[in-house]
Amino acid sequence: MQAARCPTDELSLTNCAVVSEKDLQSGQHVTVKTTPNHKFVFTVKSHTTVVPGTIAFSLPQRKWAGLSIGQEVEVANYNFDKCKQCIGSMTVEIDFLQKKSTDSSAYDSDKMAAEFIQQFNNQGFSVTQQLVFSFCDKLFGLVIKDIEAMDSSILKGEMPTGKKQKIDVGLMVGNSQVVFEKAETSSLTLVGKAKTKEARQTIINPEWNFEKMGIGGLDREFSDIFRRAFASRVFPPDIVEQMGCKHVKGIMLFGPPGCGKTLMARQIGKMLNAREPKIVNGPEILNKYVGESEANIRKLFADAEDEQKRLGANSGLHIIIFDELDAICKQRGTGASSTGVHDTVVNQLLSKIDGVEQLNNILVIGMTNRPDLIDDALMRPGRFEVKMEIGLPDEKGRVQILTIHTNKMRGFGLLSGDVDIPELAAETKNYSGAELEGLVRAAQSTAMNRHIKATSTVEVDMERAEKLQVSRSDFMGSLNNDIKPAFGTNQEDYASYIMNGIIKWGDPVTSVLDDGELLVQQTKNSDRTPLVSVLLEGPPHSGKTALAAQIAEDSEFPFIKICSPDKMIGHSEISKCQAIKKVFDDAYKSQLSCVVVDDIERLLDYVPIGPRFSNLVLQALLVLLKKPPPKGRKLLIIGTTSRKDILQEMEMLDAFSTTIHIQNISTGEQLVDALEVTHTFVDCIASVYMKAKQSWPRKQPLSLSPSLSVFLSISLSLSLTLSLSFSCNSDHTLYLYLHQTPP
């Protein structure tokens, strides 16, 4: 027969080869042999307009079989073996026939499959066959990808065996199953069950590893980020569609410097099977020309917009990382500049992340040390929805970080056996990840310095350098001298207050320290009282600050800071409030913190003349003293004052949980005990004895030593009378008598 063009468009949609009624009958199946090695199976349909001796094909059929108009082909009858060639299931690749007719509507694959079986029932299909399918007044191009034969036991009325057999040619029957698979580059959206489970590559790279990525101490944070931001992207799209959930499009990482925000954001791109992340620093967005800053924002999202238009739900994940986000996303309306550049940049970013034409294939990660500066509109759900604090690592996290930074040394045998990582982790309370890395570098430089020859030229002793090892002493030396935590305990800060130690001259001092220990234990162990505050009040020079510093030191909290007036000399009221608030904000970043608010009346600028005090600082202190720390954090506040009556009038006493009175030495026994503890009493006797021995033979006046003068001045300041008398016998032995008389 001779190949011809299909006479009408309606006939071309039937997927049948059209013949004359004189040659073949409708519904017959034929093989069309184009070359000795190529033959194709068609179902025929008769029509009056076809010339006898010709067989008409549609354009997709001619393209598939490689036929040309007028070509001579050999046509023969073909009979299907209904026990082996009935189609059980058939996978069909689908796309819009013409690119100009594409749309974003969702097509129900279940209805599409039912329509397909109805249109093409009892027709033969071959693998790789091309055809046109009309559905909902849209034309789709189809390609047969795979055919599985129906289980023959089902046709015999027996129990199915479950065996699946691939065939090249099959006959469509009423109970065949058709599964649609979207073409790779198609923007078609399919819904329903009659579609393939897309062979999606998991979004999480199977080879990722925290230790290899250099991330330590952030297990809990990453677990929370994964649950919120990535769990929905791991599930198949059809399940996500059925749940009607949207992917999280923004993550905000905030916390102290050096805790791993930038590192985590940088490594997320390696962990995910996504496009190469775009990393941009906030200040790089800004441009002096009008409109250029907003254009820079649009450029960041251009690739994601283009891909979503082309591929729809099949679009890959685009990651955009903003470092120092607070540089461009400050609160709108707060800028002093008349241009309002920051405001328009924020508006542009809002519209791109969650505007009218919102994108669903992006993940924006913002990082900042100042979340309080970020515009509120960015922080709502749908934008930067996941807010994660990357805080200081705990002891387990510090072990992980130190292990990561010493792995290479350990692998090459450069780490001494006496280096105990858990011991170092216990000693480095409140160290950030960056400070721990700096500690390792400092220990390495100390070890290398031992192998440098001290000559006129700097040379390395190669013989000894081959035996280079970083030892425990290198780490401890760097710990004590080189690297100090920014949010830790500055020992020099409070050591000056107790440099002479605490003189336990009696029960009043011991009871204060015991009460302080109880308050420390309450702060550590009680979950009901995360905030404990105590006020030490008493007369001037009674040792309140020293006792507060001693209680803080004995607590061994990882964060101890003293808020003292001597550090705020010359500060304005506003700057003083900011300095006090910063101390408390830093304290909230640690698991256990102790803040000593020393000499409160001096912080308040109180003077009895007037009287005058700073109400601004007073209100700030009242708020901070009552503010509980964040969840999981505990804070002990120790205040000191010499004017309890003034604080009572200012209503500040109610801000403290309890008040402890500190008293001066009030009895002779307490004075003697104090002198004995400090050995001042013995020094006085020795000094007087030597003076008396020298002056006795000449009957000269006895000159008292400075220490005895101090002793006498103390005794005169008491509310009781102390009298001293001296006498010597013939052996030049000095006797000192202490007489106590009632007032």
Side-chain angles (χ1 to χ4, degrees):
M1 300 182 78
Q2 192 176 36
R5 183 182 286 107
C6 191
T8 65
D9 291 340
E10 290 78 8
L11 289 172
S12 66
L13 297 176
T14 62
N15 191 41
C16 291
V18 187
V19 294
S20 171
E21 295 175 343
K22 298 179 180 179
D23 293 331
L24 294 167
Q25 298 299 315
S26 294
Q28 284 186 267
H29 310 292
V30 296
T31 58
V32 177
K33 192 173 184 180
T34 56
T35 65
N37 298 324
H38 294 88
K39 62 181 179 179
F40 304 89
V41 176
F42 289 97
T43 300
V44 298
K45 190 178 185 67
S46 60
H47 197 268
T48 55
T49 59
V50 179
V51 178
T54 62
I55 181 168
F57 299 97
S58 65
L59 178 61
Q61 290 171 332
R62 295 199 304 272
K63 188 183 295 185
W64 170 54
L67 292 165
S68 57
I69 303 299
Q71 180 180 345
E72 296 290 336
V73 294
E74 184 179 327
V75 181
N77 283 322
Y78 183 83
N79 295 315
F80 282 97
D81 184 349
K82 294 192 176 181
C83 290
K84 296 181 179 178
Q85 289 185 294
C86 286
I87 296 175
S89 66
M90 183 170 71
T91 304
V92 182
E93 184 179 272
I94 185 170
D95 193 5
F96 292 107
L97 183 64
Q98 296 177 331
K99 297 300 181 185
K100 64 181 180 180
S101 64
T102 60
D103 61 28
S104 58
S105 302
Y107 291 90
D108 191 332
S109 59
D110 298 327
K111 294 180 180 178
M112 195 177 283
E115 182 74 19
F116 184 92
I117 293 173
Q118 185 177 351
Q119 285 188 30
F120 304 119
N121 190 28
N122 206 34
Q123 286 193 22
F125 288 92
S126 305
V127 176
T128 71
Q129 182 176 345
Q130 300 178 20
L131 65 150
V132 177
F133 173 51
S134 175
F135 179 75
C136 294
D137 297 328
K138 284 278 186 182
L139 295 181
F140 299 93
L142 308 183
V143 179
I144 309 302
K145 301 292 290 183
D146 183 69
I147 300 176
E148 288 183 0
M150 189 176 292
D151 194 338
S152 58
S153 57
I154 296 177
L155 299 173
K156 297 175 183 178
E158 301 173 357
M159 291 295 292
T161 61
K163 294 181 180 178
K164 295 181 180 180
Q165 182 179 0
K166 303 280 187 181
I167 54 176
D168 294 327
V169 181
L171 180 67
M172 176 70 65
V173 293
N175 58 348
S176 298
Q177 291 183 348
V178 179
V179 178
F180 290 97
E181 179 181 287
K182 188 167 58 174
E184 184 177 353
T185 59
S186 174
S187 59
L188 176 66
T189 303
L190 292 177
V191 296
K193 297 180 180 178
K195 62 176 184 176
T196 56
K197 306 295 183 186
E198 298 174 8
R200 300 172 69 250
Q201 187 180 21
T202 176
I203 194 171
I204 305 296
N205 192 333
E207 298 181 357
W208 76 277
N209 179 283
F210 268 139
E211 193 169 327
K212 291 180 181 177
M213 292 163 64
I215 297 178
L218 297 176
D219 295 353
R220 181 187 60 80
E221 288 82 356
F222 180 79
S223 176
D224 291 343
I225 289 175
F226 179 84
R227 175 177 60 84
R228 294 294 313 281
F230 302 134
S232 63
R233 299 182 187 273
V234 172
F235 269 77
D238 53 339
I239 297 179
V240 176
E241 288 172 7
Q242 292 168 14
M243 293 185 69
C245 76
K246 295 181 180 179
H247 300 309
V248 167
K249 291 179 285 188
I251 302 174
M252 175 68 70
L253 304 179
F254 65 93
C259 289
K261 299 184 297 297
T262 306
L263 176 63
M264 173 174 271
R266 190 186 304 127
Q267 301 296 355
I268 279 176
K270 297 179 182 178
M271 182 194 68
L272 300 178
N273 287 320
R275 304 291 185 275
E276 185 70 21
K278 297 179 180 178
I279 301 177
V280 56
N281 292 318
E284 293 177 359
I285 294 293
L286 302 178
N287 194 297
K288 66 179 180 178
Y289 295 108
V290 176
E292 285 300 311
S293 301
E294 298 90 317
N296 290 336
I297 293 287
R298 290 193 292 271
K299 289 175 186 175
L300 293 173
F301 293 87
D303 293 340
E305 286 180 331
D306 180 61
E307 189 167 327
Q308 179 159 298
K309 287 179 182 176
R310 288 189 295 106
L311 304 180
N314 273 0
S315 172
L317 178 63
H318 292 255
I319 300 175
I320 302 172
I321 299 173
F322 283 96
D323 201 3
E324 304 300 338
L325 185 66
D326 53 279
I328 60 171
C329 292
K330 291 185 174 69
Q331 290 277 357
R332 286 173 290 180
T334 58
S337 173
S338 60
T339 59
V341 173
H342 286 92
D343 293 0
T344 55
V345 170
V346 174
N347 294 337
Q348 184 69 77
L349 189 58
L350 289 173
S351 64
K352 286 299 178 185
I353 296 177
D354 190 33
V356 177
E357 297 180 358
Q358 60 181 354
L359 299 171
N360 203 33
N361 60 342
I362 58 168
L363 179 63
V364 183
I365 303 175
M367 294 170 291
T368 180
N369 299 326
R370 298 292 305 276
D372 54 302
L373 297 180
I374 305 297
D375 191 87
D376 293 336
L378 276 170
M379 307 301 285
R380 74 156 176 80
R383 290 162 184 170
F384 285 103
E385 184 170 345
V386 179
K387 293 173 278 292
M388 184 60 58
E389 181 178 5
I390 308 298
L392 297 170
D394 56 11
E395 188 166 334
K396 179 183 175 183
R398 294 194 295 272
V399 170
Q400 293 178 358
I401 295 170
L402 288 169
T403 302
I404 289 169
H405 291 302
T406 56
N407 262 345
K408 187 168 285 189
M409 287 192 295
R410 188 180 294 104
F412 287 96
L414 298 177
L415 192 66
S416 176
D418 63 351
V419 176
D420 185 9
I421 297 296
E423 179 195 8
L424 288 175
E427 292 291 331
T428 51
K429 294 176 181 177
N430 274 28
Y431 275 66
S432 66
E435 288 162 347
L436 291 172
E437 183 182 3
L439 175 66
V440 175
R441 285 200 302 267
Q444 290 169 340
S445 64
T446 303
M448 288 188 288
N449 192 56
R450 290 199 301 268
H451 301 281
I452 296 177
K453 293 180 180 179
T455 60
S456 57
T457 59
V458 178
E459 296 179 0
V460 178
D461 189 347
M462 296 305 297
E463 294 180 2
R464 296 180 59 195
E466 293 178 357
K467 300 178 182 179
L468 172 68
Q469 278 200 330
V470 182
S471 65
R472 178 181 180 275
S473 60
D474 297 326
F475 278 99
M476 290 302 175
S478 301
L479 193 64
N480 296 327
N481 302 318
D482 296 329
I483 307 297
K484 298 293 182 182
F487 296 95
T489 299
N490 187 359
Q491 193 168 2
E492 297 174 357
D493 193 16
Y494 62 82
S496 60
Y497 294 105
I498 49 176
M499 57 184 176
N500 294 323
I502 300 296
I503 303 172
K504 297 182 180 179
W505 45 262
D507 291 338
V509 178
T510 307
S511 64
V512 170
L513 294 175
D514 291 342
D515 290 344
E517 175 62 22
L518 288 174
L519 293 169
V520 168
Q521 293 303 321
Q522 179 185 356
T523 308
K524 283 183 179 179
N525 303 323
S526 175
D527 294 328
R528 297 177 62 85
T529 54
L531 174 64
V532 177
S533 55
V534 57
L535 177 65
L536 305 183
E537 59 85 17
H541 309 297
S542 56
K544 299 181 296 297
T545 304
L547 287 169
Q550 186 66 46
I551 293 171
E553 184 182 37
D554 293 343
S555 71
E556 297 183 349
F557 282 4
F559 181 95
I560 299 173
K561 278 291 171 68
I562 295 182
C563 183
S564 177
D566 61 357
K567 299 175 184 175
M568 301 182 189
I569 297 173
H571 283 209
S572 66
E573 287 186 313
I574 294 177
S575 62
K576 188 179 290 188
C577 290
Q578 290 173 343
I580 296 172
K581 185 177 183 297
K582 185 179 186 305
V583 171
F584 280 84
D585 286 343
D586 291 347
Y588 297 148
K589 294 180 173 68
S590 178
Q591 301 292 326
L592 280 172
S593 305
C594 178
V595 174
V596 178
V597 185
D598 188 32
D599 212 354
I600 295 177
E601 62 272 16
R602 294 283 74 78
L603 281 174
L604 298 175
D605 297 331
Y606 171 78
V607 289
I609 303 172
R612 181 188 178 277
F613 68 95
S614 171
N615 186 55
L616 196 63
V617 178
L618 171 64
Q619 299 304 324
L621 276 175
L622 286 173
V623 171
L624 293 171
L625 290 173
K626 295 179 182 178
K627 180 183 177 183
K631 185 178 180 181
R633 313 290 166 84
K634 296 184 178 182
L635 175 62
L636 172 63
I637 303 174
I638 306 175
T640 69
T641 181
S642 300
R643 297 299 304 268
K644 178 183 176 183
D645 55 329
I646 299 302
L647 299 191
Q648 178 71 52
E649 293 181 12
M650 295 178 179
E651 299 181 352
M652 185 174 276
L653 290 185
D654 296 335
F656 290 93
S657 307
T658 184
T659 302
I660 298 176
H661 177 68
I662 311 297
Q663 65 182 57
N664 275 327
I665 295 175
S666 58
T667 66
E669 289 82 356
Q670 293 173 350
L671 175 62
V672 172
D673 291 341
L675 294 175
E676 285 181 348
V677 170
T678 59
H679 304 290
T680 306
F681 196 70
V682 176
D683 294 342
C684 286
I685 294 175
S687 175
V688 173
Y689 172 76
M690 292 304 297
K691 291 289 184 181
K693 186 176 180 181
Q694 294 172 5
S695 62
W696 178 262
R698 295 181 293 275
K699 305 293 183 180
Q700 295 176 352
L702 182 65
S703 61
L704 300 179
S705 66
S707 58
L708 185 56
S709 300
V710 172
F711 175 78
L712 292 174
S713 66
I714 293 174
S715 68
L716 293 174
S717 69
L718 299 178
S719 60
L720 52 86
T721 303
L722 291 177
S723 60
L724 293 171
S725 62
F726 303 92
S727 66
C728 291
N729 59 12
S730 58
D731 297 327
H732 297 173
T733 303
L734 175 68
Y735 291 90
L736 182 146
Y737 298 92
L738 174 65
H739 303 280
Q740 178 177 341
T741 58

